[in-house]
Amino acid sequence: MPPSVQTRREKQKAELRSELVEAAHKLVQEEGYEGLTIRKLAKRVGYAPMSVYSYFADKQDILFALAEDAFETLARRIEEHPSDDPIEALQAVMTEYAAFGLGNPNEYRTVFMTEKTKLPEGRSYEDMEKGNPAMKVLISRVEACVAAGKLQGDPRAIATMLWAVGHGTISLLITFPFYPFGDPQAFVKRMCDFTLATLSTQNVPPLTDTPVNC
């Protein structure tokens, strides 16, 4: 096959996959997890269901694709808020993460609160890590705080703890809207400030004995 033909086909395939991911975003925003089916996705883009299966093996594969796309969007939003103060730059990560989750509750619940029982076919955890620019930004901003003496310890461990607090906070706000948390964004900031204040008083060790490359 001539290189030009192969390149054109690869481009068309990438464009269709992008179209499917965009349609999947809209489906979960409108209908949540139950609304995301291969049949509905195919109908929305005007293709036969079997065509969708050539891009995604199953619903979980679609969820991983949505997560990767969401992390790219989140990373771009975070990068729009740089700061010379490393703590403020780190707080911006949490603020944007919360704004993303609270602004898209159906999608957040579907993509980030649905159990993932296996990795996508042919993908390793390391591959998934490379495809998560939002986590890279979070870790890099934690590293800046460590370099500035604002935090101490293992950057990945600190980043993971902040992620856990952020995810837990957003999940509660989404699933228990009747609870008197007060203003959602103010509550997120309170949790972030509390966690950073606590972490600043200790040297945080790695999560595991086996080093993990960022």
Side-chain angles (χ1 to χ4, degrees), residues 3-210:
S4 59
V5 175
Q6 183 176 354
T7 300
R8 185 165 62 250
R9 288 185 177 180
E10 289 175 352
K11 182 180 179 181
Q12 290 173 342
K13 187 173 182 179
E15 288 174 348
L16 177 55
R17 188 180 188 281
S18 178
E19 184 180 358
L20 287 168
V21 171
E22 181 62 28
H25 276 301
K26 292 178 180 177
L27 272 175
V28 297
Q29 288 167 7
E30 295 168 7
E31 303 182 34
Y33 179 81
E34 296 302 325
L36 180 61
T37 67
I38 296 293
R39 186 170 296 280
K40 282 188 176 182
L41 185 55
K43 182 178 180 181
R44 178 160 290 217
V45 296
Y47 285 87
M50 289 308 297
S51 297
V52 178
Y53 281 113
S54 66
Y55 292 88
F56 303 106
D58 51 29
K59 188 170 181 174
Q60 183 162 282
D61 263 6
I62 299 174
L63 292 178
F64 272 118
L66 288 177
E68 288 185 333
D69 194 58
F71 282 134
E72 289 179 4
T73 299
L74 182 57
R76 288 194 296 269
R77 289 173 56 161
I78 293 169
E79 295 287 15
E80 292 174 0
H81 300 280
S83 175
D84 293 332
D85 184 319
I87 290 293
E88 288 184 2
L90 183 54
Q91 289 172 327
V93 178
M94 307 303 288
T95 299
E96 283 303 315
Y97 184 45
F100 176 83
L102 297 176
N104 305 278
N106 269 351
E107 184 165 12
Y108 190 89
R109 186 185 291 109
T110 300
V111 177
F112 300 114
M113 297 170 64
T114 302
E115 183 181 9
K116 313 297 188 297
T117 58
K118 63 181 179 64
L119 290 170
E121 185 176 351
R123 303 286 297 281
S124 65
Y125 171 76
E126 288 72 21
D127 294 331
M128 300 299 291
E129 179 95 344
K130 291 176 182 177
N132 188 343
M135 178 57 81
K136 290 180 181 178
V137 172
L138 173 57
I139 292 175
S140 70
R141 293 197 177 188
V142 170
E143 289 173 337
C145 288
V146 172
K150 303 291 185 179
L151 296 172
Q152 300 179 65
D154 182 75
R156 175 177 289 276
I158 296 171
T160 303
M161 293 167 74
L162 287 170
W163 176 31
V165 170
H167 175 65
T169 302
I170 296 165
S171 299
L172 282 173
L173 288 166
I174 290 174
T175 55
F176 292 91
F178 50 80
Y179 189 86
F181 289 105
D183 178 74
Q185 286 288 0
F187 183 69
V188 170
K189 185 178 185 307
R190 178 181 291 188
M191 290 299 299
C192 178
D193 290 347
F194 172 78
T195 305
L196 285 173
T198 302
L199 289 172
S200 68
T201 65
Q202 54 190 288
N203 192 313
V204 180
L207 297 174
T208 67
D209 294 332
T210 304

